[in-house]
Amino acid sequence: MDRIFSGVQPSGNMTLGNYLGAIRNWVKLQDDYESIFCVVDMHAITVWQDPDDLRRATREVAAGMLAAGVDPKKNIIFNQSNVSAHAELGWVLNCVARLGWLNRMTQFKEKAGKHKENASCGLYVYPNLMAADILLYKATHVPVGDDQKQHLELARDIAQKFNNDFGKEVFPLPDPMIFGTATRVMSLRDGSKKMSKSDPSEYARIGMTDDADAIAKKIRKAKTDPHPIPDNVDGFEDRLEAKNLMNIYGALNDMKLEDVCAEYGGQSFADFKKALTDLAVAKLSPISEEMKRYMDDPAQIDAILRDGAERANAIAQPVLDEVKDVVGFLRP
Ligand code: AQP
């Protein structure tokens, strides 16, 4: 059976983007693949995280996966720092990846901003650790949002260079799986920016634990334009915010964008926003309630993460040993 690896950073409250771009797809795939889902806490610390917040967010991301329907028995759910092979393979891959490759990564440029000398070294080599996460399990498929496409291509380049350098087909080249109507959910305040956990504005995102009032308020305040809803997909030129809201509607309701245009074309944003609010509340409330139930029982989450780490380690350790032998590390 093909194997999936994917992860979410515990770097804040999980967003609708994480749900629609990643976790919801994992639930759809879990019957057809052997799946490993990771709370990537080592990635999260590439930017400052308060330790208490990190602990809480780690449990919350696990709770989000569970509440959305990821089955911890059928799949492996664990946090990255509990399987030390990630860091060990990450180092080897730091020595395989080329500086020129990392220099092209747009996420580093976006996150480091104007003062890149002040960014952590970890943020720079983040894509190498992400490659290690995937290759450590010889994963064949990686379901992600569109924003991770470039990192996935880099992971393939790193796998290929490792195999070529050592003349052995150690790693399969992982295939990205990017699908659904909302592969890139945009900020509610700026349709050219991705919806992110770490956006300083709460109003830029819908959180997976937002209650009905918060969802309604955020959608009401979401940026739009003075024109009516377009009635076909060619009507979105310069209307990024309109397109984003309609994409979100389509994704939540399993509809194509063209069908959303056909249903709401010509109507006002006020009416459309009401419909979107009702839909978002109906789809997200059961998940956020289940998340709260898990968060009230942290021992249950910790037990799932512990069990997941043991099972992940059982797959990872032989691969790490193989890498050590191929590289020439003695294992006395
Ligand atoms: N806006 C988005 N639309 C679609 N997919 C998204 N993902 C994230 N944001 C969107 C997908 O969610 C998975 C987990 O992402 P992550 O937490 O590992 O890192 P990220 O992509 O950097 O997410 P954030 O929310 O923007 O976190 P911060 O603010 O900490 O950087 C990935 O599959 C991602 O594609």
Side-chain angles (χ1 to χ4, degrees):
M1 197 189 243
D2 287 337
R3 185 180 282 160
I4 276 178
F5 180 95
S6 198
V8 174
Q9 297 185 76
S11 47
N13 298 321
M14 266 197 298
T15 71
L16 185 65
N18 299 132
Y19 176 61
L20 293 177
I23 295 176
R24 193 177 68 154
N25 292 344
W26 303 354
V27 178
K28 291 180 182 162
L29 294 166
Q30 63 181 338
D31 291 331
D32 299 325
Y33 292 85
E34 180 189 359
S35 304
I36 302 168
F37 299 123
C38 189
V39 187
V40 285
D41 48 8
M42 288 158 62
H43 283 280
I45 64 162
T46 56
V47 298
W48 167 251
Q49 305 293 333
D50 173 86
D52 286 334
D53 289 347
L54 182 63
R55 273 183 279 273
R56 189 203 53 75
T58 300
R59 291 192 178 110
E60 193 191 276
V61 169
M65 294 178 188
L66 295 163
V70 177
D71 180 343
K73 295 211 171 68
K74 208 183 305 171
N75 311 288
I76 295 177
I77 299 179
F78 73 109
N79 60 312
Q80 189 185 24
S81 60
N82 264 339
V83 176
S84 57
H86 286 255
E88 294 179 71
L89 182 60
W91 179 257
V92 173
L93 300 187
N94 279 342
C95 302
V96 174
R98 305 288 94 182
L99 280 181
W101 299 356
L102 290 180
N103 285 341
R104 286 197 287 275
M105 295 297 113
T106 53
Q107 184 171 292
F108 175 78
K109 290 178 194 157
E110 281 159 20
K111 288 200 172 179
K114 288 195 188 107
H115 305 290
K116 68 176 193 296
E117 317 68 41
N118 290 341
S120 73
C121 300
L123 189 65
Y124 188 68
V125 293
Y126 178 119
N128 296 345
L129 181 60
M130 180 167 157
D133 299 338
I134 297 161
L135 301 180
L136 189 55
Y137 301 94
K138 299 196 177 188
T140 52
H141 294 82
V142 187
V144 284
D146 183 63
D147 60 308
Q148 292 300 325
K149 199 168 161 194
Q150 194 185 34
H151 286 166
L152 243 298
E153 279 159 11
L154 186 85
R156 289 171 63 91
D157 289 344
I158 291 174
Q160 194 154 37
K161 179 160 165 52
F162 183 96
N163 292 346
N164 286 346
D165 285 353
F166 294 101
K168 291 208 163 74
E169 288 303 304
V170 176
F171 297 122
L173 304 193
D175 283 323
M177 298 174 106
I178 301 173
F179 62 93
T181 308
T183 54
R184 189 182 281 254
V185 179
M186 309 309 280
S187 156
L188 300 181
R189 307 300 303 160
D190 176 352
S192 67
K193 264 174 63 185
K194 190 183 75 144
M195 182 181 283
S196 258
K197 296 181 213 86
S198 56
D199 194 297
S201 167
E202 259 298 312
Y203 285 96
R205 59 178 165 267
I206 294 176
M208 277 182 75
T209 51
D210 283 353
D211 61 20
D213 283 348
I215 293 174
K217 205 165 169 190
K218 289 177 182 182
I219 294 179
R220 205 164 50 241
K221 283 183 174 280
K223 190 173 166 202
T224 50
D225 56 52
H227 308 292
I229 303 273
D231 57 10
N232 69 73
V233 288
D234 299 326
F236 286 114
E237 210 178 322
D238 300 326
R239 301 187 67 186
L240 297 178
E241 286 81 14
K243 186 173 184 186
N244 185 40
L245 292 180
M246 292 176 75
N247 259 334
I248 292 175
Y249 188 98
L252 284 171
N253 218 16
D254 281 319
M255 281 167 84
K256 291 202 186 102
L257 184 58
E258 61 207 59
D259 296 329
V260 183
C261 291
E263 193 168 333
Y264 288 97
Q267 296 192 22
S268 72
F269 274 105
D271 291 339
F272 176 72
K273 281 182 168 183
K274 278 198 200 96
L276 178 59
T277 301
D278 291 345
L279 178 65
V281 170
K283 296 286 179 178
L284 293 179
S285 293
I287 299 176
S288 71
E289 264 157 40
E290 190 64 2
M291 278 177 81
K292 280 182 200 124
R293 200 188 60 70
Y294 276 110
M295 289 302 279
D296 287 342
D297 188 0
Q300 187 189 6
I301 298 178
D302 292 358
I304 289 171
L305 292 175
R306 206 165 34 244
D307 170 66
E310 270 171 34
R311 288 157 60 209
N313 200 48
I315 303 173
Q317 203 52 52
V319 177
L320 184 67
D321 288 347
E322 183 186 354
V323 168
K324 286 182 174 177
D325 291 342
V326 167
V327 167
F329 291 162
L330 266 184
R331 293 193 297 120

